[in-house]
Amino acid sequence: MLTAGCLAGLLALAATSPSSTQTQSETLILDGARSSAAFSVKVLWMFVVDGQFGNVRGTVNVDRLQGQATVNAQIETAAVTMNRTSAISWIKSAEFFDVERYPEIRFRSDPFPISRLHQGGELPGALTLRGITRAVVFEVEPATCARVAIDCPVEAAGIVRRSDFGMATRRATLSDKVELRFTIRMTEAASDAAES
């Protein structure tokens, strides 16, 4: 299944940072200006409606002692852009993202091994959309560079079902499956040193 999960890429720096021997934990910050989340859904089983969220933010907490990390990400639903501008008001309406009542989409991952950022693989966690939280699994693509999320973005994707998050209208014309795709980069890490 799915992601949001992408923020995981922010962790690569923790594995290579010079300060890694000095601290046991660190908080890495997502670069909202260079990160994005996109979605697509099929209409009439043939045509694709897609869009992108520009305001993606969050943190990755790295626990070097355990060799694990946790992603905590937020997406502003009102910050959506689409190729078909006529569909933006519909996407923001109560029928879809319901922006007025639920201004954010949230993803919090389960702890995962830092090595997954380089090797790729599943990123499980909890996705909160329209006030409903469901377990999801995103697929992180293998890294193409040494410093993931710095020299190259973290790419992740997955599928969620509209009906799992209270979007049950237009089932005859609109697919229940929504594909989510994430491109994540990070800013400089803000140390969150833990006393050893």
Side-chain angles (χ1 to χ4, degrees), residues 76-153:
E76 184 181 334
T77 53
V80 61
T81 58
M82 302 180 71
N83 291 334
R84 300 179 184 183
T85 54
S86 60
I88 292 180
S89 59
W90 167 59
I91 288 295
K92 291 183 175 182
S93 74
E95 190 175 9
F96 216 88
F97 288 121
D98 201 354
V99 169
E100 288 190 11
R101 293 178 61 195
Y102 307 107
E104 285 188 337
I105 298 170
R106 292 180 171 268
F107 174 75
R108 183 171 180 83
S109 76
D110 297 342
F112 63 93
I114 296 173
S115 60
R116 191 153 297 163
L117 296 177
H118 291 279
Q119 299 168 1
E122 292 186 346
L123 181 65
L127 182 71
T128 301
L129 174 59
R130 292 169 51 100
I132 299 170
T133 301
R134 294 282 185 264
V136 296
V137 180
F138 295 94
E139 188 72 22
V140 178
E141 295 182 9
T144 59
C145 65
R147 298 191 305 161
V148 183
I150 299 293
D151 296 331
C152 62

Side-chain angles (χ1 to χ4, degrees), residues 14 16 18 20 62 70 96 99-100 125 139 145-146 160 166-168 182 187:
T16 58
S20 64
V62 180
T70 305
F96 216 88
V99 169
E100 288 190 11
E139 188 72 22
C145 65
V160 296
M167 294 178 272
F182 301 87
T187 62

